[in-house]
Amino acid sequence: MRDILPDLRARCADGVPFALATVVAVHGSAPRDPGAVMAVDAAGTVLGSVSGGCVEGDLYEVAREVLAGSGPRLVSYGISDDEAFGVGLTCGGTIEVLVRGYASEGERTELAALLDLIAADRPVAEATVLSGAAETGARLVVHPADAGPTTGTLGNEGLDAAVTDDARGLLAQGLTGIQRYGAHGQRRMQEVAVFVRTYAPPPRMLVFGAIDHAAATARIGSFLGYRVTVCDARPAFATRERFPTADEVVRAWPHTYLESTEVDARTVICVLTHDPKFDVPLLVAALSTPAAYIGVMGSRRTHHDRLARLRAAGVDEAHLERLASPVGLDLGARTPGETAFSIAAEIIQHRWGGTGRPLGDLTGAIHRDR
């Protein structure tokens, strides 16, 4: 959603009708995860993608029908051995897509309120009925418990209450997926399928050391959807001009800043200073956080010296094992841009548990977690 957020908000503001196609389930290999969206507006303009090109042509026609008044539709695309080049996913998976129209002013106004929350990085979840003993397309917008009441309804109080509880739990974990209930929200029943899409604020990337490699890392971090902060204690280096793509540039001692800012289990930390007076206190602070990834630049000699200094500072072996150092995957990188690419590759590998080997050397499903 975030990749076409400005376009959707503009169409809501300008009163332009559109249909929104959302991936709600994925089985086997598929290019996009649940939550990926494609929009088709009244002029026939296409925004976004749900499959990287496999099914967009057919889905375009479905969206036009929905926009013309056919009502919400749940469609499925897959592949069988004898239809590899027909309408389907040539990668071999199956996706389910909900197509919903926003033709009326009221529908666009409701969606605009949700889009405004997403744009403001406010945590929110949207629950939509897919099928069963409730109206397909009915939606409920759920906020954290301390951030206001729900808006909309899925049809009755019991279903709304059960989905609200589950949506808040999914939102806290940053998860998206289909939940099933009885017609009035009963647990362990299968009468109603509800797709819960959560929108948490973007994860953070903290880049320490205002060097050329940091500029490249900040660029690729923004591209990957991180909210990027670059921090360095040297005023001449930590400037907005040097880091135009970063969300913020901070002039402070790295460890002081890290101790004062929010770090959660989705945060990635890239330490590119390779200077002991910065690195050691910074890494002591970093290793006490729940950060998902802590990558540290430097040669192997620098790495071994750094480990000795950290041990002397009281860091135990279990914490030292969290360090990705020397930082990045072995891609043969030379330039700052290539090095940033190798760092990004390692972050992705760490997040999803990939091997880092060429896919052509492996067998089995490409997306193992699906």
Side-chain angles (χ1 to χ4, degrees):
M1 178 75 83
R2 291 184 186 276
D3 53 346
I4 61 171
L5 185 61
D7 296 300
L8 293 181
R9 297 181 75 196
R11 280 159 176 76
C12 287
D14 295 340
V16 178
F18 59 89
L20 195 62
T22 305
V23 176
V24 297
V26 170
H27 310 284
S29 295
R32 303 293 301 276
D33 287 323
V37 298
M38 182 183 94
V40 179
D41 69 16
T45 303
V46 177
L47 307 168
S49 171
V50 298
S51 74
C54 297
V55 304
E56 272 73 359
D58 186 74
L59 196 56
Y60 174 86
E61 299 300 332
V62 175
R64 297 284 283 178
E65 292 171 8
V66 169
L67 194 54
S70 70
R73 287 177 59 184
L74 182 65
V75 293
S76 179
Y77 297 99
I79 190 164
S80 63
D81 291 341
D82 58 354
E83 57 182 22
F85 297 101
V87 175
L89 295 178
T90 54
C91 57
T94 300
I95 63 172
E96 296 178 46
V97 184
L98 176 68
V99 187
R100 191 177 190 276
Y102 294 89
S104 72
E105 182 178 354
E107 290 170 329
R108 290 191 300 274
T109 298
E110 290 180 0
L111 180 63
L114 174 65
L115 299 178
D116 288 345
L117 292 171
I118 298 170
D121 289 339
R122 299 278 297 277
V124 64
E126 180 187 32
T128 307
V129 173
L130 299 181
S131 62
E135 181 184 355
T136 299
R139 59 194 291 272
L140 183 72
V141 175
V142 181
H143 306 271
D146 59 352
T150 60
T151 56
T153 181
L154 302 182
N156 61 74
E157 291 184 2
L159 185 57
D160 288 350
V163 172
T164 295
D165 285 345
D166 289 348
R168 284 173 174 161
L170 292 171
L171 183 58
Q173 300 175 71
L175 300 177
T176 285
I178 295 175
Q179 306 294 306
R180 299 184 186 276
Y181 306 88
H184 293 274
Q186 301 95 323
R187 305 291 181 178
R188 297 185 297 278
M189 297 184 71
Q190 305 286 315
E191 294 178 70
V192 182
V194 179
F195 177 64
V196 180
R197 174 70 166 103
T198 63
Y199 299 93
R204 300 189 70 191
M205 173 182 281
L206 306 180
V207 182
F208 294 97
I211 61 176
D212 289 346
H213 290 82
T217 301
R219 286 195 297 272
I220 201 165
S222 296
F223 176 78
L224 292 176
Y226 287 95
R227 178 174 178 80
V228 178
T229 297
V230 176
C231 176
D232 196 296
R234 301 167 295 178
F237 292 87
T239 66
R240 171 55 64 187
E241 291 74 20
R242 286 172 52 81
F243 300 96
T245 64
D247 293 283
E248 60 180 348
V249 179
V250 176
R251 298 173 184 173
W253 277 82
H255 73 282
T256 301
Y257 173 72
L258 185 60
E259 291 169 347
S260 66
T261 195
E262 181 180 356
V263 175
D264 62 23
R266 299 188 302 152
T267 303
V268 299
I269 297 174
C270 301
V271 179
L272 311 182
T273 47
H274 52 82
D275 183 333
K277 68 176 179 290
F278 292 114
D279 286 1
V280 173
L282 172 59
L283 290 174
V284 169
L287 289 169
S288 69
T289 72
Y293 171 90
I294 305 172
V296 194
M297 178 173 279
S299 66
R300 298 192 189 281
R301 176 181 294 180
T302 298
H303 171 64
H304 291 305
D305 176 72
R306 183 187 294 126
L307 290 179
R309 292 173 183 270
L310 288 170
R311 291 186 183 102
V315 179
D316 61 33
E317 297 302 316
H319 283 82
L320 292 178
E321 289 178 0
R322 294 181 60 198
L323 296 179
S325 177
V327 70
L329 294 187
D330 178 19
L331 304 181
R334 295 291 186 271
T335 67
E338 290 174 346
T339 300
F341 195 90
S342 77
I343 294 171
E346 185 174 49
I347 290 171
I348 295 168
Q349 178 202 28
H350 187 84
R351 179 181 181 185
W352 298 112
T355 65
R357 295 173 56 196
L359 288 171
D361 291 348
L362 304 176
T363 59
I366 293 175
H367 301 291
R368 297 184 303 280
D369 58 311
R370 292 179 181 167

mmCIF file of all heavy atoms in Angstrom, residues 147-165:
data_model
loop_
_atom_site.group_PDB
_atom_site.id
_atom_site.type_symbol
_atom_site.label_atom_id
_atom_site.label_comp_id
_atom_site.label_asym_id
_atom_site.label_seq_id
_atom_site.Cartn_x
_atom_site.Cartn_y
_atom_site.Cartn_z
ATOM 1 N N ALA A 147 -5.760 4.069 21.450
ATOM 2 C CA ALA A 147 -5.706 5.067 20.383
ATOM 3 C C ALA A 147 -7.054 5.330 19.731
ATOM 4 O O ALA A 147 -7.117 5.868 18.640
ATOM 5 C CB ALA A 147 -4.703 4.632 19.318
ATOM 6 N N GLY A 148 -8.147 4.955 20.399
ATOM 7 C CA GLY A 148 -9.447 5.294 19.859
ATOM 8 C C GLY A 148 -10.280 4.083 19.505
ATOM 9 O O GLY A 148 -9.781 2.958 19.431
ATOM 10 N N PRO A 149 -11.579 4.307 19.284
ATOM 11 C CA PRO A 149 -12.500 3.207 18.968
ATOM 12 C C PRO A 149 -12.364 2.738 17.533
ATOM 13 O O PRO A 149 -11.741 3.395 16.698
ATOM 14 C CB PRO A 149 -13.877 3.851 19.200
ATOM 15 C CG PRO A 149 -13.657 5.305 18.849
ATOM 16 C CD PRO A 149 -12.255 5.618 19.314
ATOM 17 N N THR A 150 -12.982 1.595 17.251
ATOM 18 C CA THR A 150 -13.014 1.097 15.877
ATOM 19 C C THR A 150 -14.011 1.913 15.063
ATOM 20 O O THR A 150 -14.901 2.575 15.607
ATOM 21 C CB THR A 150 -13.423 -0.378 15.845
ATOM 22 O OG1 THR A 150 -14.733 -0.504 16.413
ATOM 23 C CG2 THR A 150 -12.457 -1.233 16.621
ATOM 24 N N THR A 151 -13.869 1.844 13.750
ATOM 25 C CA THR A 151 -14.848 2.462 12.858
ATOM 26 C C THR A 151 -15.300 1.423 11.847
ATOM 27 O O THR A 151 -14.527 0.555 11.444
ATOM 28 C CB THR A 151 -14.257 3.674 12.120
ATOM 29 O OG1 THR A 151 -13.076 3.278 11.400
ATOM 30 C CG2 THR A 151 -13.886 4.777 13.099
ATOM 31 N N GLY A 152 -16.552 1.515 11.423
ATOM 32 C CA GLY A 152 -17.108 0.542 10.505
ATOM 33 C C GLY A 152 -17.662 -0.662 11.243
ATOM 34 O O GLY A 152 -17.659 -0.723 12.474
ATOM 35 N N THR A 153 -18.150 -1.634 10.500
ATOM 36 C CA THR A 153 -18.669 -2.862 11.099
ATOM 37 C C THR A 153 -18.590 -3.998 10.093
ATOM 38 O O THR A 153 -18.666 -3.782 8.879
ATOM 39 C CB THR A 153 -20.121 -2.691 11.569
ATOM 40 O OG1 THR A 153 -20.572 -3.916 12.174
ATOM 41 C CG2 THR A 153 -21.033 -2.334 10.407
ATOM 42 N N LEU A 154 -18.480 -5.217 10.606
ATOM 43 C CA LEU A 154 -18.483 -6.412 9.770
ATOM 44 C C LEU A 154 -19.865 -7.056 9.754
ATOM 45 O O LEU A 154 -20.054 -8.085 9.107
ATOM 46 C CB LEU A 154 -17.436 -7.409 10.277
ATOM 47 C CG LEU A 154 -15.995 -6.885 10.317
ATOM 48 C CD1 LEU A 154 -15.049 -7.985 10.779
ATOM 49 C CD2 LEU A 154 -15.565 -6.334 8.970
ATOM 50 N N GLY A 155 -20.804 -6.464 10.491
ATOM 51 C CA GLY A 155 -22.176 -6.963 10.432
ATOM 52 C C GLY A 155 -22.876 -7.116 11.758
ATOM 53 O O GLY A 155 -24.084 -6.953 11.851
ATOM 54 N N ASN A 156 -22.122 -7.437 12.826
ATOM 55 C CA ASN A 156 -22.748 -7.574 14.142
ATOM 56 C C ASN A 156 -21.702 -7.367 15.235
ATOM 57 O O ASN A 156 -20.496 -7.451 14.988
ATOM 58 C CB ASN A 156 -23.437 -8.932 14.290
ATOM 59 C CG ASN A 156 -22.481 -10.101 14.152
ATOM 60 O OD1 ASN A 156 -21.686 -10.373 15.059
ATOM 61 N ND2 ASN A 156 -22.537 -10.804 13.012
ATOM 62 N N GLU A 157 -22.174 -7.101 16.448
ATOM 63 C CA GLU A 157 -21.279 -6.753 17.555
ATOM 64 C C GLU A 157 -20.340 -7.891 17.928
ATOM 65 O O GLU A 157 -19.167 -7.672 18.248
ATOM 66 C CB GLU A 157 -22.103 -6.334 18.777
ATOM 67 C CG GLU A 157 -22.844 -5.017 18.610
ATOM 68 C CD GLU A 157 -23.565 -4.611 19.887
ATOM 69 O OE1 GLU A 157 -23.447 -5.349 20.894
ATOM 70 O OE2 GLU A 157 -24.247 -3.563 19.873
ATOM 71 N N GLY A 158 -20.849 -9.121 17.907
ATOM 72 C CA GLY A 158 -20.012 -10.256 18.292
ATOM 73 C C GLY A 158 -18.836 -10.437 17.356
ATOM 74 O O GLY A 158 -17.692 -10.633 17.804
ATOM 75 N N LEU A 159 -19.090 -10.353 16.054
ATOM 76 C CA LEU A 159 -18.006 -10.496 15.069
ATOM 77 C C LEU A 159 -17.050 -9.326 15.170
ATOM 78 O O LEU A 159 -15.818 -9.508 15.129
ATOM 79 C CB LEU A 159 -18.599 -10.591 13.664
ATOM 80 C CG LEU A 159 -17.617 -10.861 12.517
ATOM 81 C CD1 LEU A 159 -16.830 -12.140 12.755
ATOM 82 C CD2 LEU A 159 -18.368 -10.934 11.180
ATOM 83 N N ASP A 160 -17.591 -8.120 15.330
ATOM 84 C CA ASP A 160 -16.724 -6.939 15.462
ATOM 85 C C ASP A 160 -15.801 -7.068 16.670
ATOM 86 O O ASP A 160 -14.607 -6.744 16.594
ATOM 87 C CB ASP A 160 -17.574 -5.671 15.603
ATOM 88 C CG ASP A 160 -18.255 -5.261 14.309
ATOM 89 O OD1 ASP A 160 -17.917 -5.840 13.253
ATOM 90 O OD2 ASP A 160 -19.119 -4.369 14.351
ATOM 91 N N ALA A 161 -16.336 -7.540 17.804
ATOM 92 C CA ALA A 161 -15.539 -7.639 19.026
ATOM 93 C C ALA A 161 -14.423 -8.663 18.876
ATOM 94 O O ALA A 161 -13.269 -8.411 19.267
ATOM 95 C CB ALA A 161 -16.439 -8.008 20.204
ATOM 96 N N ALA A 162 -14.742 -9.840 18.307
ATOM 97 C CA ALA A 162 -13.724 -10.878 18.153
ATOM 98 C C ALA A 162 -12.627 -10.434 17.201
ATOM 99 O O ALA A 162 -11.433 -10.616 17.467
ATOM 100 C CB ALA A 162 -14.368 -12.169 17.651
ATOM 101 N N VAL A 163 -13.016 -9.816 16.076
ATOM 102 C CA VAL A 163 -12.032 -9.387 15.096
ATOM 103 C C VAL A 163 -11.188 -8.244 15.657
ATOM 104 O O VAL A 163 -9.981 -8.187 15.414
ATOM 105 C CB VAL A 163 -12.730 -8.966 13.787
ATOM 106 C CG1 VAL A 163 -11.735 -8.325 12.823
ATOM 107 C CG2 VAL A 163 -13.389 -10.182 13.134
ATOM 108 N N THR A 164 -11.806 -7.350 16.430
ATOM 109 C CA THR A 164 -11.040 -6.248 17.039
ATOM 110 C C THR A 164 -9.941 -6.787 17.941
ATOM 111 O O THR A 164 -8.795 -6.337 17.886
ATOM 112 C CB THR A 164 -11.977 -5.321 17.831
ATOM 113 O OG1 THR A 164 -12.888 -4.681 16.932
ATOM 114 C CG2 THR A 164 -11.179 -4.246 18.571
ATOM 115 N N ASP A 165 -10.269 -7.753 18.781
ATOM 116 C CA ASP A 165 -9.264 -8.342 19.679
ATOM 117 C C ASP A 165 -8.118 -8.962 18.886
ATOM 118 O O ASP A 165 -6.938 -8.736 19.192
ATOM 119 C CB ASP A 165 -9.906 -9.407 20.568
ATOM 120 C CG ASP A 165 -10.757 -8.816 21.674
ATOM 121 O OD1 ASP A 165 -10.625 -7.606 21.931
ATOM 122 O OD2 ASP A 165 -11.564 -9.560 22.256
#
